[in-house]
Amino acid sequence: MNPAPTPPSRLDLPESSRGVLRRLATHGPATRPQLARVLGLSRPTMSAVMPELMNLELVSSGGSSRGATGRSAVLYSLAAGAGHVLGVEVGATRARVVAHSLDGEQIAAREERISARRRTITDAAVSTTMELCEKVLAEVGDGHGPLRDVVIAAPTKPSTKPTSVSTSGLQPDGVEQLAAAFPVPDDVPVIVENNVNCAAIAEHRLGAAQNQDTFVYLQVGVKIGLGIVVDGKLMHGAHGASGEVAMMPFPWSPGEEPTRAGLEEYLGSEALMARCAEVWTSGNGPVPKDAEALFQAAARGQSTARRLVDQHATDIGRLAVGVMSVLDPGLVVLGGGVGQNQLLLPGVRRATTALAWDTEITVGALGEHATVLGAVHIAITRALDRLT
């Protein structure tokens, strides 16, 4: 049996074929007439392009679509042989690995919680992530084409270029070396992207910011961070540190000296729960064990919990005003373990309206899966850019 043809690089595919491939990947199945109309291709060109892409196992046919004249036309879609990507999320308490085809369909997914006393990525977290990757790749098997790209989402600065995979062991600094030791073939590009940036991309492609070219994703949880999308693209900055709002000077007033990452220490969920423990009285019942329990008490109308949540919303709103004053985004999307709670929205909106101008503020639509979904879609974009 002859081996399947190797999917070509950009140089091997004519422009018309690249356009058809990208259109099917980003917009789903279509007929030849639909593709020709959108891409401005002639009938003879389409008659040459489709057999070529099908022969290379990049495109497949199946099903039909009935047009206005009543005639049926064959639907074409991305074939399994076009390949797949991995999106990876590694954090202090959870690891996720998902495989998607280049048209965004999920093929396999694994996740596991990690017991961690410290809010940092440990060797155990890295090891768990690599094991999940091996399981996902085994589940994907050989029926979904080559692995084209891997994006690892982590609470760190993004890597500036793809890392060549090696078999060397991990170094003590953990996530910085994770990409270099990831268990994938040597020719598969692997990069690390900031986790908040990934969540911002997910909300842009799939969630609350689909119709916004310029917006920010403000994550508030154990840590705080900002993903900035301008003209549909992530802003990374000169040092890859755009959106590191934890570094904004805080406190900043007469008689007070700012401390490094002092804003994150004040706005993070651990500090919120410390303030909760200070003001909670025995008449309120047991002290909430975490932020989720605090918000549940506030939703039930517990007065102390409600005051704490309202003040936290005001503080988040003030941070949002600082972001708005520099970037003037069309939309602010709140996310993270705390930020995605709907109870915060009224207070955040009041604070921004009082201190700045009207800007739409909403809660992310993808919840805790935003980060890994963003990693997947960044990987798909990178893979399609190389292929097309």
Side-chain angles (χ1 to χ4, degrees):
M1 180 181 294
N2 293 326
T6 302
S9 68
R10 176 189 168 96
L11 295 178
D12 296 322
L13 277 174
E15 182 178 352
S16 54
S17 297
R18 296 199 303 268
V20 168
L21 189 63
R22 180 175 284 275
R23 180 72 187 184
L24 291 175
T26 56
H27 289 76
T31 65
R32 285 193 191 189
Q34 289 170 341
L35 291 167
R37 184 171 59 254
V38 170
L39 299 173
L41 301 176
S42 67
R43 181 177 295 181
T45 298
M46 291 301 302
S47 294
V49 165
M50 301 313 290
E52 175 191 33
L53 293 177
M54 293 179 70
N55 183 57
L56 290 166
E57 297 187 358
L58 294 172
V59 168
S60 62
S61 62
S64 62
S65 174
R66 188 173 298 276
T69 63
R71 294 182 179 180
S72 294
V74 175
L75 277 172
Y76 294 88
S77 60
L78 215 61
H84 61 283
V85 301
L86 290 186
V88 180
E89 178 186 357
V90 54
T93 60
R94 180 175 52 219
R96 288 190 175 103
V97 179
V98 298
H100 281 228
S101 57
L102 296 189
D103 59 3
E105 289 296 316
Q106 181 174 298
I107 302 169
R110 296 268 183 158
E111 71 173 271
E112 190 168 323
R113 288 207 165 268
I114 302 164
S115 297
R117 295 180 179 179
R118 295 177 297 163
R119 295 295 183 178
T120 57
I121 296 176
T122 62
D123 289 343
V126 170
S127 176
T128 298
T129 304
M130 294 177 71
E131 291 173 4
L132 291 179
C133 175
E134 291 172 346
K135 291 177 181 178
V136 166
L137 289 175
E139 187 174 343
V140 171
D142 299 326
H144 294 277
L147 176 61
R148 301 239 179 232
D149 202 271
V150 178
V151 172
I152 301 170
T156 186
K157 290 182 183 179
S159 58
T160 57
K161 59 183 179 180
T163 302
S164 298
V165 176
S166 71
T167 56
S168 60
L170 291 176
Q171 299 300 315
D173 50 3
V175 70
E176 286 97 355
Q177 300 298 322
L178 176 58
F182 217 65
V184 295
D186 290 349
D187 60 345
V188 177
V190 181
I191 65 162
V192 176
E193 179 57 84
N194 177 265
N195 59 332
V196 183
N197 285 346
C198 288
I201 287 296
E203 291 292 349
H204 186 230
R205 302 286 177 84
L206 306 169
Q210 289 184 71
N211 298 317
Q212 291 286 341
D213 286 335
T214 300
F215 78 99
V216 295
Y217 177 88
L218 180 56
Q219 176 170 291
V220 183
V222 175
K223 296 179 178 293
I224 60 173
L226 189 74
I228 305 169
V229 174
V230 177
D231 294 332
K233 298 180 180 179
L234 275 175
M235 178 184 291
H236 283 116
H239 304 92
S242 288
E244 292 293 336
V245 290
M247 306 307 294
M248 293 175 67
F250 180 88
W252 191 1
S253 61
E256 292 184 291
E257 284 291 322
T259 58
R260 186 179 180 89
L263 182 56
E264 185 168 80
E265 291 179 7
Y266 176 75
L267 267 185
S269 57
E270 291 182 354
L272 171 63
M273 297 315 298
R275 291 192 289 274
C276 175
E278 289 176 1
V279 301
W280 205 265
T281 64
S282 57
N284 293 326
V287 179
K289 61 180 180 178
D290 53 26
E292 182 179 1
L294 174 63
F295 276 83
Q296 288 174 350
R300 293 193 302 268
Q302 209 287 330
S303 58
T304 301
R306 189 74 222 194
R307 284 197 302 273
L308 286 161
V309 167
D310 287 346
Q311 182 57 54
H312 203 56
T314 298
D315 290 334
I316 294 170
R318 290 168 177 168
L319 171 57
V321 168
V323 171
M324 290 161 54
S325 67
V326 176
L327 298 171
D328 188 22
L331 172 69
V332 177
V333 179
L334 301 179
V338 171
Q340 64 187 358
N341 198 294
Q342 292 279 351
L343 285 180
L344 291 170
L345 267 181
V348 173
R349 288 168 173 165
R350 281 195 299 270
T352 57
T353 300
L355 295 173
W357 48 86
D358 270 348
T359 295
E360 184 181 357
I361 300 174
T362 190
V363 170
L366 304 175
E368 63 179 18
H369 294 283
T371 296
V372 74
L373 287 174
V376 161
H377 280 271
I378 292 172
I380 288 174
T381 298
R382 286 163 43 82
L384 287 174
D385 285 346
R386 286 193 303 275
L387 190 60
T388 65

